[in-house]
């Protein structure tokens, strides 16, 4: 067997990898209806080695979406329900005393996986939040002075409920900035909701993705080939300047108390580059930047209280800036 071929039968060729990643939408649609934008966002995050914050009311298939993605990519996945009494070691792992060897051994926590679903991350105290965010940034867990690398690929999909804040610990801006994308999961359209109910009436079981027909269509080798191809996607100086101008405009907006940091500008350049490659180009155009601006920047800005009271949203401010900042020709 070719050593570049993974278990899903993919060769790791960039063209094949793009086709395989595009096939994810159709495969995940066997289990999740009408969430193409979220699927694309998760794929972009995987290509950029970033993490995703999923925001949506309960019952819009956030958990099912991550499980279906892991199944279609043939990746390992684990889920952690974040609660007020969750300890950092419950996420990262801890040293356990082995009576047979009379020594301590490391017991890995659920963070040692490819796709970690951190459910309701804002329901756990800052100490536990920080333990996960450290693993996200460093891609390793250090216990008793020994660093232990996390698997690759590694993606955290953290969820939070936008309508219930009692008993929660909102993520500070500095921690929100660690997420590459913030994806909003909307309620389905009327037709999509009819399709969901029809599937359930016909016996669809969200706990059994295999029975739903979800099969691996891509794998780690495809992701590696895709990442290498994305890294070769051309970014002109004009596009770089355009990204900088957009981010600097957020710092000057009268509706915001906090604009996008240089880390956010770097993130927007990276996500636009991944999106350009996914759409079949080896160079970035202004429309790529515009397409990824909202999910990449919306959680990196902070509204003034008076603007929020007037109904202004982060999305509306960013859209206004995109309309105002001239795009290169």
């Amino acid at each position: 067997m070719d050593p570049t071929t993974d278990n899903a039968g993919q060769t790791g060729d960039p063209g094949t990898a793009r086709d395989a990643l595009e096939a994810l939408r159709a495969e995940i649609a066997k289990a999740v209806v009408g969430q193409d934008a979220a699927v694309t966002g998760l794929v972009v995050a995987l290509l950029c080695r970033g993490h995703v914050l999923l925001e949506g009311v309960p019952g819009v298939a956030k958990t099912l979406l991550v499980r279906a993605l892991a199944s279609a990519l043939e990746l390992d996945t684990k889920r952690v329900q974040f609660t007020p009494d969750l300890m950092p070691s419950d996420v990262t792992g801890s040293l356990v005393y082995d009576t047979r060897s009379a020594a301590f051994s490391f017991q890995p926590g659920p963070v040692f996986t490819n796709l970690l679903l951190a459910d309701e991350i804002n329901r756990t105290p800052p100490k536990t939040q920080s333990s996960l965010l450290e693993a996200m940034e460093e891609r390793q867990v250090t216990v008793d002075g020994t660093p232990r690398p996390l698997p690759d690929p590694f993606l955290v999909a953290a969820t939070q409920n936008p309508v219930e804040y009692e008993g929660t610990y909102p993520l500070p801006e500095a921690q929100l900035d660690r997420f590459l994308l913030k994806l909003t999961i909307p309620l389905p359209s009327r037709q999509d909701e009819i399709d969901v109910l029809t599937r359930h009436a016909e016996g669809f079981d969200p706990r059994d993705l295999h029975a739903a027909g979800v099969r691996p269509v891509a794998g780690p080798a495809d992701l590696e080939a895709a990442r290498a191809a994305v890294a070769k996607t051309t970014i002109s100086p004009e596009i770089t300047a355009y990204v900088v101008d957009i981010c600097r405009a957020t710092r000057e907006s009268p509706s915001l108390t906090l604009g996008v940091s240089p880390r956010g500008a770097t993130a927007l350049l990276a996500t636009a580059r991944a999106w350009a490659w996914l759409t079949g180009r080896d160079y970035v155009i202004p429309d790529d930047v515009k397409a990824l601006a909202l999910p990449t920047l919306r959680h990196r800005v902070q509204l003034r209280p008076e603007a929020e009271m007037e109904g202004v949203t982060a999305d509306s401010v960013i859209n206004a800036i995109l309309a105002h900042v001239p795009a290169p020709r």
Side-chain angles (χ1 to χ4, degrees), residues 30-197:
K30 296 176 181 177
V32 182
V33 177
Q35 296 293 359
D36 284 356
V39 173
T40 300
L42 287 165
V43 172
V44 166
L46 281 168
L47 292 177
C48 298
R49 291 183 168 87
H51 307 281
V52 174
L53 186 63
L54 298 171
E55 187 171 271
V57 299
V60 290
K62 298 187 292 293
T63 301
L64 182 60
L65 175 63
V66 174
R67 288 180 53 239
L69 177 67
S71 181
L73 280 172
E74 206 169 31
L75 298 176
D76 182 47
T77 182
K78 290 187 175 72
R79 175 179 178 270
V80 178
Q81 182 66 49
F82 280 72
T83 57
D85 60 348
L86 194 73
M87 299 296 291
S89 59
D90 295 330
V91 178
T92 61
S94 60
L95 293 175
V96 177
Y97 184 73
D98 187 344
T99 56
R100 291 172 295 182
S101 62
F104 285 93
S105 61
F106 179 67
Q107 184 67 37
V111 75
F112 286 86
T113 188
N114 297 124
L115 269 65
L116 177 69
L117 178 64
D119 217 353
E120 295 189 291
I121 190 173
N122 56 337
R123 289 204 171 276
T124 201
K127 185 176 182 179
T128 305
Q129 291 176 359
S130 297
S131 69
L132 176 62
L133 293 166
E134 180 184 6
M136 290 163 52
E137 185 71 14
E138 303 297 333
R139 297 186 179 272
Q140 66 179 24
V141 170
T142 303
V143 177
D144 197 32
T146 303
R148 294 173 170 85
L150 295 171
D152 184 40
F154 173 64
L155 179 143
V156 173
T159 73
Q160 62 180 16
N161 184 343
V163 296
E164 190 176 355
Y165 293 103
E166 188 174 349
T168 63
Y169 304 84
L171 290 170
E173 282 70 26
Q175 294 183 352
L176 283 170
D177 202 34
R178 303 288 179 179
F179 286 94
L180 181 71
L181 299 173
K182 179 182 179 182
L183 304 176
T184 55
I185 310 297
L187 289 166
S189 66
R190 180 176 182 273
Q191 186 56 53
D192 285 344
E193 196 162 2
I194 289 173
D195 292 344
V196 170
L197 267 63

Side-chain angles (χ1 to χ4, degrees), residues 242-316:
Y242 181 50
V243 169
V244 168
D245 289 343
I246 290 170
C247 294
R248 291 182 68 86
T250 65
R251 302 169 204 161
E252 299 166 1
S253 171
S255 299
L256 302 176
T257 59
L258 179 70
V260 176
S261 69
R263 181 192 287 134
T266 303
L268 180 55
L269 199 65
T271 56
R273 200 179 203 180
W275 175 244
W277 180 82
L278 277 173
T279 53
R281 278 178 283 101
D282 60 358
Y283 57 92
V284 181
I285 62 174
D287 283 349
D288 299 324
V289 177
K290 293 177 181 178
L292 271 297
L294 285 180
T296 308
L297 304 182
R298 59 163 59 109
H299 57 298
R300 304 175 193 269
V301 300
Q302 188 176 45
L303 289 167
R304 292 188 181 277
E306 56 269 29
E308 201 166 1
M309 290 176 64
E310 292 172 1
V312 176
T313 65
D315 284 13
S316 65

